[in-house]
Amino acid sequence: MRRSLVMGNWKMNGRRDQVQALFTALEDQLASFSAVEMVVCPPYPFLALVHDRQRETSGIGLGAQNVSMYSDGAYTGEVSGEMLRDMGCEFAIIGHSERRLLFSETNEVVAKKFIRARDAGLVPVLCVGESAADRDANRTEEVIAAQVLAVFQDGGREVFRQAVVAYEPVWAIGTGRAASPAEAQKVHAFIRKTVAARDPEAAATLRILYGGSVKAQNARELFAQDDIDGGLIGGAALNAVEFAGICRAACGAN
Ligand code: 13P
């Protein structure tokens, strides 16, 4: 049994007052809702602010959107996994397609970040997914296998224990065009099979999230698929009512 997980990736959005208002609204919307694990990933400058506002009873955890591939030291502008742990983060998104595409993060860099995050005590959330061109060329499985195998290669057979994977087809991110539930399920099953071939134990408990134009309205059907264990939400995570609707859709879905 895998507990559903819904994560909000706020990306590079918000100002202090907006972040405060959003998080307060989320805590109000989701007070006493504990059926699903929920996490928000604010921009770095707002992590402390959100952490300070987490209520004693808060069911909403904290994650980072990125992590350095280095531990503390002379790396100007970087933020280490240890710092993120110290700020109250439990999770770190690794290898989001925006970082792969806009900041040239290769599979090798992503693998290093994954292992650094894990070694710092964070749960790495490995983002994988194919571009529209890969999909049109029937290369989806090939691309995703390479993204997953790079992490095994660096981290060894048990690297996916205490980790999360997020399948985010690049063509579905921010486009309003989510993968169909059947289409997403097929890729999720492939990801689980790829992990199972090396570590069946990790594969059975590994949570695989879907991300890409998830809304409250399409979430239930996506989350009802056997291998979809929740979602990584972008735009809709900036609206408390919408995000709460997505969290409720995950309730009892698995
Ligand atoms: P959207 O939900 O805005 O499509 O973004 C998905 C995403 O990139 C989450 O990491």
Side-chain angles (χ1 to χ4, degrees):
M1 183 73 176
R2 299 182 291 268
R3 187 171 180 224
S4 295
L5 169 64
V6 178
M7 298 184 65
N9 175 7
W10 293 358
K11 306 194 179 182
M12 195 169 74
N13 289 297
R15 295 290 180 271
R16 200 197 309 237
D17 55 343
Q18 293 165 323
V19 165
Q20 275 173 355
L22 174 58
F23 192 68
T24 303
L26 277 173
E27 291 225 299
D28 290 344
Q29 285 282 332
L30 294 162
S32 74
F33 182 76
S34 59
V36 168
E37 188 170 4
M38 300 166 292
V39 174
V40 294
C41 304
Y44 286 149
F46 304 130
L47 283 171
L49 192 152
V50 171
H51 184 53
D52 289 348
R53 293 184 81 86
Q54 276 174 311
R55 296 178 196 156
E56 282 287 291
T57 53
S58 178
I60 305 176
L62 196 59
Q65 298 175 18
N66 184 24
V67 65
S68 177
M69 62 191 258
Y70 302 108
S71 41
D72 299 340
Y75 303 101
T76 302
E78 289 287 278
V79 176
S80 71
E82 287 79 1
M83 291 173 183
L84 295 170
R85 270 302 291 153
D86 196 38
M87 297 306 291
C89 289
E90 299 164 72
F91 293 81
I93 297 172
I94 309 288
H96 191 281
S97 64
E98 286 148 19
R99 298 219 53 90
R100 293 178 187 263
L101 293 168
L102 303 172
F103 302 95
S104 310
E105 290 191 6
T106 60
N107 281 343
E108 291 65 36
V109 167
V110 170
K112 285 194 170 57
K113 289 188 170 199
F114 182 107
I115 289 154
R116 268 281 61 247
R118 198 201 49 182
D119 290 352
L122 296 159
V123 175
V125 181
L126 176 72
C127 296
V128 299
E130 81 287 4
S131 67
D134 293 328
R135 182 188 188 224
D136 292 345
N138 252 328
R139 294 186 60 227
T140 298
E141 293 192 351
E142 185 189 325
V143 167
I144 288 172
Q147 291 170 336
V148 170
L149 295 182
V151 175
F152 272 119
Q153 193 166 2
D154 243 32
R157 203 179 68 85
E158 297 185 356
V159 75
F160 279 95
R161 298 186 183 188
Q162 314 293 335
V164 171
V165 173
Y167 169 53
E168 298 207 307
V170 179
W171 47 269
I173 295 177
T175 59
R177 206 174 116 234
S180 73
E183 203 173 9
Q185 163 58 27
K186 190 160 168 260
V187 179
H188 281 233
F190 173 75
I191 294 168
R192 202 175 301 286
K193 195 178 85 183
T194 304
V195 173
R198 284 145 195 93
D199 187 355
E201 212 177 301
T205 55
L206 180 68
R207 290 185 290 186
I208 307 177
L209 314 182
Y210 170 78
S213 297
V214 178
K215 306 274 179 286
Q217 170 264 325
N218 62 8
R220 192 172 297 277
E221 217 190 323
L222 283 160
F223 297 164
Q225 305 300 308
D226 282 353
D227 289 293
I228 302 186
D229 306 308
L232 180 55
I233 319 301
L238 298 172
N239 178 312
V241 174
E242 192 70 21
F243 188 73
I246 294 170
C247 293
R248 289 198 193 91
C251 177
N254 259 295

